[in-house]
Amino acid sequence: MTAPAPLFAPELLARFHAVRSRSVALVAPLSAEDCAAQSMPDASPAKWHLAHTTWFFETFVLEAHEPGFAPFQPAFRVLFNSYYNGVGAKHPRPQRGLLTRPALDEVLAYRANVDARMARLLPTVLNNPALCALIELGLQHEQQHQELLVTDVKHLLSCNPLWPAYQQTALVMPAAPSALAWQSFENGLTDIGHEGGGFAFDNESPRHRVYLHPYALASRLVTNAEMAAFVEGGGYQNPALWLAEGWDWRTAQGLEHPLYWQRVDGAWHAFTLTGLQPLDGAQPAVHLSYYEADAYARWMGARLPTEAEWEHAAQQALGVPPNSSYPAAEVMADPDTPEMVQWFGAAWQWTQSSYAAYPGFRVADGAVGEYNGKFMVNQYVLRGSSSATPPGHERITYRNFFPATARWQFTGIRLARNL
């Protein structure tokens, strides 16, 4: 007896083609040279992102389920493996920019080949819920890489003194009111984490109960103008504002302002996806490390929220029932309240919560079990989503994570304070 088809199976075919097509569209403004370069060890070439997300489907789906499977190119199994030790050897991450071969055209041919094979396979597996869930994981994984591709390209182009633009239209960030207000929340027990319908990564579960002390959250994100006041006020020169490790990092790096900022004719400018532009003071401050976010919060007499506070407040502000978790489309369909804005689509928001397993978390079997669990050390949780996050990839329960020094992602600040 075959298992019933999952509820999302009829949409899976169209979704597969839409997600895969978007990745190719993201590299359309780039040259082959742009797609091959790697600007730092934490970033990857655009060409590598295109190949690795294809590798995922060939390795985890086609290899086990395609009749008469044969790899497109056996060497790609090593070249485009990211961190899956259970799969085998991998090319060193800092050396991805040295892969001048395969050429971009061959990577695109690799994608087209795997897409055609997946298109033949997909209609035959829609009655297999476990395999459909794996394919959905691959699509969510690719959406993560779409955001990484954008942020990696921005970092790469910022290294060019010509200040080249990736696109002509700036990313749209949700507007914010001019005045920052504080929203108070009472103490008590609340449930956080994913439970129920819709996709979620394994690190978002199980849903569990936590106790919150009284707290307040800022109504919006910190702006460029407010961050500029911190810079001009000597925030980067005052060790009292910084965690000890953060101060040592700032000093060693010689940092005096946020990433991509520079003075031009006495005025602050920032490198953006549309090139070097005058700093827009009303926009959320982004590309801030955890250390910078924490120092700014301390300067303001505030702190960063915990991830439980962030999720609880978002549930309240967006009208989400406290004991439920909703897919992104349903969350975004309910507009922000006037009191609390910029939950999604502006910047990932640092929390003071270390990235760790929820109570009862279990690592999945097999190589896909390496997806999240093994990174639960020396990282901090970020919530929300950014202007570079693919549409529909947001959730209240989503747990992004980066080390405290990470700056090249669209990361910003929502302040919190005790009551």
Side-chain angles (χ1 to χ4, degrees):
M1 181 177 179
T2 58
L7 294 178
F8 54 84
E11 294 80 33
L12 190 57
L13 290 168
R15 174 163 163 71
F16 179 85
H17 290 298
V19 171
R20 297 286 289 167
S21 296
R22 186 176 189 272
S23 297
V24 176
L26 286 174
V27 303
L30 303 174
S31 68
E33 291 83 0
D34 291 332
C35 291
Q38 180 179 18
S39 58
M40 64 171 175
D42 286 339
S44 297
K47 183 174 67 175
W48 189 92
H49 286 295
L50 294 176
H52 169 69
T53 51
T54 303
W55 173 96
F56 185 100
F57 290 108
E58 184 178 54
T59 302
F60 292 125
V61 179
L62 293 176
E63 184 171 319
H65 301 282
E66 182 185 35
F69 169 82
F72 177 84
Q73 165 54 263
F76 287 5
R77 186 179 179 89
V78 173
L79 285 184
F80 301 121
N81 182 4
S82 55
Y83 50 73
Y84 294 93
N85 295 315
V87 173
K90 52 190 181 294
H91 185 76
R93 178 173 180 171
Q95 298 176 19
R96 290 171 183 171
L98 301 180
L99 299 176
T100 57
R101 309 287 177 88
L104 177 61
D105 286 347
E106 188 174 356
V107 168
L108 293 173
Y110 177 40
R111 286 184 67 90
N113 176 272
V114 169
D115 285 354
R117 292 155 62 192
M118 286 291 297
R120 291 193 295 269
L121 179 70
L122 278 169
T124 71
V125 302
L126 295 183
N127 64 344
N128 184 334
L131 184 52
C132 286
L134 177 61
I135 293 168
E136 178 60 32
L137 174 63
L139 295 175
Q140 297 281 338
H141 164 259
E142 181 144 355
Q143 287 183 301
Q144 289 182 313
H145 276 272
Q146 288 170 353
E147 180 161 4
L148 288 170
L149 191 156
V150 171
T151 54
D152 290 356
V153 165
K154 180 175 181 178
H155 189 270
L156 172 69
L157 297 180
S158 76
C159 299
N160 189 325
L162 298 178
W163 310 120
Y166 166 71
Q167 59 191 32
Q168 299 305 311
T169 304
L171 294 177
V172 177
M173 295 187 186
S178 57
L180 184 147
W182 291 92
Q183 179 68 45
S184 298
F185 296 89
E186 297 180 356
N187 65 305
L189 294 171
T190 189
D191 292 330
I192 67 167
H194 190 272
E195 181 180 75
F199 175 85
F201 289 111
D202 57 357
N203 64 1
E204 300 174 49
S205 297
R207 192 167 177 85
H208 59 287
R209 186 155 294 180
V210 297
Y211 179 81
L212 297 177
H213 293 276
Y215 69 98
L217 238 59
S219 57
R220 57 162 173 81
L221 304 186
V222 171
T223 66
N224 282 326
E226 290 164 339
M227 194 66 194
F230 174 74
V231 174
E232 301 291 352
Y236 278 79
Q237 288 76 44
N238 185 353
L241 300 174
W242 294 73
L243 295 167
E245 189 174 90
W247 179 255
D248 292 343
W249 167 77
R250 186 216 69 79
T251 302
Q253 299 294 320
L255 303 181
E256 303 289 344
H257 51 72
L259 182 65
Y260 302 136
W261 286 29
Q262 62 175 287
R263 283 200 175 276
V264 178
D265 296 329
W268 284 115
H269 286 61
F271 182 77
T272 73
L273 290 170
T274 59
L276 190 65
Q277 303 290 344
L279 188 69
D280 185 342
Q283 287 293 306
V286 291
H287 301 298
L288 301 172
S289 68
Y290 178 88
Y291 292 136
E292 290 165 298
D294 180 81
Y296 177 85
R298 208 179 304 273
W299 185 67
M300 288 292 294
R303 60 174 174 83
L304 300 177
T306 67
E307 64 169 323
E309 290 171 339
W310 191 99
E311 185 171 327
H312 173 254
Q315 288 177 346
Q316 300 296 312
L318 296 169
V320 176
N323 295 317
S324 300
S325 180
Y326 282 73
E330 296 181 57
V331 170
M332 296 304 288
D334 192 8
D336 289 338
T337 64
E339 294 80 18
M340 301 285 286
V341 298
Q342 296 180 320
W343 294 104
F344 300 101
W348 289 102
Q349 298 153 50
W350 286 107
T351 75
Q352 62 175 253
S353 298
S354 296
Y355 179 50
Y358 282 164
F361 172 79
R362 292 186 178 181
V363 176
D365 294 332
V368 294
E370 299 185 58
Y371 200 97
N372 282 310
K374 71 179 186 181
F375 297 109
M376 292 177 173
V377 62
N378 298 332
Q379 316 233 33
Y380 284 89
V381 175
L382 299 102
R383 292 304 194 103
S385 68
S386 82
S387 55
T389 305
H393 195 63
E394 309 94 343
R395 277 184 308 283
I396 279 183
T397 59
Y398 200 122
R399 305 176 77 202
N400 203 351
F401 54 92
F402 281 101
T405 56
R407 307 174 88 201
W408 90 109
Q409 295 300 311
F410 286 85
T411 48
I413 311 170
R414 185 185 295 274
L415 295 173
R417 64 186 185 189
N418 301 325
L419 293 179

